[in-house]
Amino acid sequence: MKLIEHYKALSKSINNTHQTVEITIAKLATILSCSDRNAKLLIRQMQKQNWITWQPGKGRGHSSKIKLIKTVEELVQAEAKTLAESGLIDAAIHLIQQHPNTNHQAFISWLSNSLHQNDLKSEKDHLRFPSYRSIPVLDPAYVNRRTENHIMLHLFNCLITYNDETNSFQEDLAHKWSMDITGEKWTFYLRKGIYFHNGMTCTSHNIKYHFLHLPTSSPAYWGIKNLATINCPNLYTCEFHFQKPNPYFLHAASSIPILHERGSQSHPVGTGPFHILKNNEKLLRLSVFEHFFGKRPFLDTITMYFFPDLYDNQSADELSSDNRLNFYPYPYHFESAIDLQQFEKIDRGCKMISMNARKNTPLTDKNFRKALYHLLDPLEVIEAKGGNRFIPATRMIQSTEGSLFKQRNRKEGRRLLKQCSYDGHSISLLSYPGAGNEEDANWMKRRLEEEGMTVEVRILPYKELTPEKKKETDLLLGEQLVYDDSCYTYLSAMLDRHGMFYYHHQKMADHVETLIEKMDSEMNLLSSLEKAENQLCVNYYAVPLYRLKQYAIYPPYVEDVTLNTFGWVDYTKLWYKR
């Protein structure tokens, strides 16, 4: 046990820094969980470190006098700085992470100040930044959250990719593709010389294995629902045969990352520009993949350190130093930095509520749903909770909403609540930790209970949001991700098992699946999907709340900073100007 841990136990027991207290050796031995002899040795070591003053008692059993000079936080910060100055950055951060009561922000600020100078001297470009939660699962079949999706963009490739600037599909793992006249067969021709991170070559057999082993809960599962078989006539040709015409399969093919079968959920193996070096509850470290088939990124290493107390909606004013690691990402926001550059962007997606259409509850009454719409005013939660909550949203995708925001009216909400004869039935609200969901859910609970309603809030770990729990809850609160491909965004929201609407609006899902089969053009399909979302909104089954403002704050030597659709920086474009 380290000396600092003994001091921590002593400080917890005495709880009087800078005040002299009386104590016996026997009492010290109990506090320090050791013998009387070892307690005396530990006291001498603390004296040498100038952590305490000590005046021994005269005679056996008499009380001695002790005064604690240092706080535990001061000692932890000092030891962490010593480790960092010795080049042991991970060890220093690990020490800070082990002590949640220390000022993590202060240490991050100090560390960044020294790292900035080292960055300019080093031949290696290492991007380091803090985040508030670990990422234990990076397999797209099991998670569909903003941060995970962003990281996965750098780990994996799809058969093809979607370019939102040209609204067209482009080559990725496949360099050519075609659909036969029936619409039931798609053929993809793979590039040669593509390697997985484990050194294995990527062939049509890997593509086949991955698609055939996708779990039914996988994102974009709707895209392969009627998949009959996959043939591999050679190593670089892959044929998808469907039981029905699937003219919009490219939207799924551009959204299903290809993984090697030998990876794990925390360390999946892809073909992307970066691969995982380490992923645990303390940090995620990515390294450039030297055998990547595309352009090599300029960055060599990316490290995301996890500090749970750096919550995503923490006030910018609390982050009172101009120095950070060497990058400051969403969701942290600092406006008054002098030596840092800032890039910002309004989120294309939004936080929203889905109201369950499948349960026989007060939610079956449109007036009750409309009452909730008026009572849950996004302008109020933006003002009350702040952070990077920025503007109200009226539709899922920012580009499709009208220019005028329809004001909510609390009096109208109260009137509608009385009109629908609400009988006190308990309303359940389900969400998951992070992205401000806890604060939003509790604000909603307080607001509705002020109007005489009964609300039960459940915040479950993301992996525990099972289909059964989504089907059971009255209200589902969360983020609906918006992708570069608007068509895929709607299909994901309405048909994916991870989407906001699938388990609450089965009739809508059935309608959308019919649209996929019947629409004769992508333009008509997209228009019909927008109308489907509009029906959910005008009937108050889908209630958009607000959009975030995303930030990237960085030192002047970091170049080509742009925010992607998930509100994060594209690591393949960043470079250091020295």
Side-chain angles (χ1 to χ4, degrees):
M1 190 175 182
K2 291 185 176 181
L3 186 62
I4 192 172
E5 295 298 327
H6 288 293
Y7 189 83
K8 187 177 179 181
L10 190 59
S11 177
K12 183 178 181 182
S13 178
I14 294 178
N15 197 28
N16 276 315
T17 306
H18 301 302
Q19 292 186 19
T20 301
V21 298
E22 294 188 353
I23 195 168
T24 64
I25 292 295
K27 177 66 173 177
L28 274 174
T30 301
I31 294 172
L32 300 176
S33 301
C34 63
S35 65
D36 290 0
R37 179 174 178 275
N38 283 337
K40 294 178 181 179
L41 292 174
L42 291 171
I43 289 298
R44 292 193 193 101
Q45 292 178 38
M46 292 179 190
Q47 277 185 289
K48 288 182 180 180
Q49 298 285 344
N50 292 319
W51 294 356
I52 65 170
T53 62
W54 173 258
Q55 183 179 341
K58 296 181 179 180
R60 182 183 296 274
H62 288 77
S63 293
S64 301
K65 294 182 179 180
I66 187 172
K67 180 169 69 173
L68 307 186
I69 300 174
K70 301 288 186 180
T71 65
V72 172
E73 179 175 346
E74 289 173 330
L75 299 184
V76 171
Q77 294 273 358
E79 184 172 347
K81 289 178 181 179
T82 299
L83 289 169
E85 288 169 345
S86 302
L88 302 175
I89 305 298
D90 286 354
I93 290 179
H94 181 65
L95 175 63
I96 292 291
Q97 289 169 327
Q98 284 182 309
H99 294 83
N101 294 326
T102 60
N103 190 334
H104 289 177
Q105 297 162 8
F107 178 74
I108 289 172
S109 300
W110 172 88
L111 180 63
S112 63
N113 191 37
S114 60
L115 288 178
H116 285 177
Q117 301 304 316
N118 293 334
D119 286 337
L120 296 177
K121 299 175 184 177
S122 175
E123 293 295 323
K124 298 290 186 180
D125 293 341
H126 189 169
L127 186 71
R128 311 174 184 88
F129 55 92
S131 189
Y132 71 95
R133 67 175 177 87
S134 60
I135 310 176
V137 178
L138 279 168
D139 186 333
Y142 298 98
V143 65
N144 190 31
R145 298 181 69 178
R146 182 190 297 268
T147 303
E148 283 83 350
N149 273 272
H150 167 68
I151 295 298
M152 290 186 292
L153 283 177
H154 297 80
L155 298 177
F156 313 123
N157 294 93
C158 302
L159 282 170
I160 55 175
T161 186
Y162 183 83
N163 187 324
D164 64 330
E165 295 181 358
T166 61
N167 294 321
S168 62
F169 295 99
Q170 297 181 352
E171 60 187 60
D172 202 4
L173 295 179
H175 65 90
K176 291 289 182 181
W177 55 91
S178 63
M179 179 184 72
D180 73 353
I181 193 171
T182 68
E184 297 177 0
K185 176 185 174 183
W186 282 91
T187 304
F188 293 84
Y189 303 93
L190 305 182
R191 296 170 182 261
K192 294 183 178 180
I194 295 179
Y195 291 91
F196 285 103
H197 298 153
N198 59 10
M200 306 294 289
T201 57
C202 179
T203 70
S204 58
H205 298 292
N206 298 113
I207 307 298
K208 177 179 180 178
Y209 180 89
H210 180 71
F211 270 87
L212 293 182
H213 287 79
L214 284 174
T216 56
S217 60
S218 168
Y221 180 63
W222 54 267
I224 56 174
K225 183 175 182 180
N226 296 310
L227 181 63
T229 186
I230 301 176
N231 293 333
C232 301
N234 56 60
L235 290 177
Y236 302 105
T237 304
C238 200
E239 299 173 347
F240 291 78
H241 296 266
F242 292 90
Q243 296 170 346
K244 296 180 180 179
N246 193 352
Y248 303 108
F249 177 56
L250 293 184
H251 293 284
S254 64
S255 306
I256 299 179
I258 303 302
L259 282 65
H260 195 274
E261 60 185 277
R262 296 184 183 177
S264 64
Q265 289 188 23
S266 62
H267 289 73
V269 176
T271 59
F274 292 93
H275 66 99
I276 300 174
L277 283 181
K278 184 181 293 186
N279 186 19
N280 55 39
E281 72 281 0
K282 301 299 180 183
L283 64 85
L284 169 67
R285 177 161 293 148
L286 308 180
S287 178
V288 69
F289 182 41
E290 297 290 356
H291 299 292
F292 178 55
F293 64 91
K295 292 182 180 178
R296 184 201 189 277
F298 298 103
L299 292 177
D300 299 291
T301 309
I302 301 165
T303 301
M304 179 189 294
Y305 295 103
F306 304 125
F307 294 87
D309 64 340
L310 292 181
Y311 192 66
D312 57 340
N313 288 303
Q314 194 163 14
S315 170
D317 295 334
E318 297 175 24
L319 303 170
S320 55
S321 170
D322 290 341
N323 299 312
R324 295 294 175 263
L325 293 181
N326 61 12
F327 182 69
Y328 204 53
Y330 163 86
Y332 312 117
H333 167 203
F334 185 74
E335 294 188 8
S336 60
I338 297 173
D339 61 340
L340 300 179
Q341 310 293 318
Q342 179 168 301
F343 186 92
E344 60 187 52
K345 181 180 180 181
I346 299 176
D347 195 13
R348 291 180 62 192
C350 68
K351 179 72 68 70
M352 64 192 317
I353 304 167
S354 173
M355 300 196 189
N356 200 336
R358 301 176 59 160
K359 292 186 66 178
N360 186 22
T361 68
L363 292 173
T364 57
D365 187 336
K366 182 177 179 179
N367 281 333
F368 182 76
R369 300 193 302 272
K370 189 175 181 180
L372 297 187
Y373 169 86
H374 281 288
L375 294 173
L376 299 175
D377 188 343
L379 285 172
E380 292 187 19
V381 72
I382 290 170
E383 181 179 354
K385 295 304 176 182
N388 61 328
R389 299 172 180 86
F390 188 58
I391 57 173
T394 61
R395 289 295 181 270
M396 185 166 54
I397 302 177
Q398 184 187 19
S399 59
T400 65
E401 62 185 5
S403 59
L404 295 177
F405 169 66
K406 184 179 179 181
Q407 292 287 342
R408 312 287 175 97
N409 188 315
R410 194 169 181 181
K411 289 183 179 179
E412 177 67 6
R414 290 170 176 168
R415 186 189 69 80
L416 290 166
L417 197 59
K418 292 179 180 179
Q419 181 178 321
C420 68
S421 301
Y422 171 68
D423 61 359
H425 185 96
S426 179
I427 301 299
S428 57
L429 170 61
L430 177 66
S431 192
Y432 51 88
N437 290 333
E438 299 98 324
E439 292 190 11
D440 289 346
N442 289 327
W443 177 86
M444 292 168 60
K445 175 181 172 69
R446 288 193 298 271
R447 168 62 75 242
L448 296 179
E449 288 184 344
E450 287 173 0
E451 306 302 331
M453 298 179 60
T454 303
V455 181
E456 176 193 0
V457 172
R458 298 184 69 191
I459 306 293
L460 297 178
Y462 185 83
K463 64 181 180 181
E464 295 182 19
L465 292 182
T466 61
E468 292 73 21
K469 289 185 173 64
K470 289 182 180 180
K471 290 177 183 177
E472 292 170 1
T473 192
D474 297 313
L475 308 179
L476 179 63
L477 170 69
E479 281 189 291
Q480 178 55 52
L481 297 183
V482 169
Y483 303 84
D484 290 331
D485 181 354
S486 295
C487 194
Y488 177 75
T489 296
Y490 285 116
L491 294 173
S492 174
M494 298 172 181
L495 297 181
D496 279 359
R497 278 53 172 174
H498 290 307
M500 283 293 295
F501 304 132
Y502 181 79
Y503 290 108
H504 280 184
H505 309 287
Q506 187 61 56
K507 290 183 179 179
M508 180 62 68
D510 294 340
H511 171 63
V512 170
E513 290 189 348
T514 301
L515 290 177
I516 295 175
E517 295 179 7
K518 292 185 176 180
M519 285 296 117
D520 58 354
S521 73
E522 185 170 323
M523 183 179 297
N524 289 338
L525 174 61
L526 183 57
S527 176
S528 296
L529 291 172
E530 290 179 9
K531 292 177 181 177
E533 186 213 2
N534 188 62
Q535 285 301 304
L536 289 176
C537 290
V538 298
N539 287 294
Y540 306 100
Y541 281 119
V543 179
L545 292 175
Y546 59 80
R547 301 190 195 283
L548 303 170
K549 180 180 277 191
Q550 310 289 22
Y551 297 88
I553 301 175
Y554 52 94
Y557 59 81
V558 178
E559 294 283 341
D560 285 349
V561 174
T562 58
L563 295 178
N564 62 23
T565 188
F566 299 128
W568 285 83
V569 169
D570 187 341
Y571 304 140
T572 65
K573 296 179 180 178
L574 286 186
W575 61 284
Y576 290 179
K577 181 174 66 177
R578 293 182 170 85

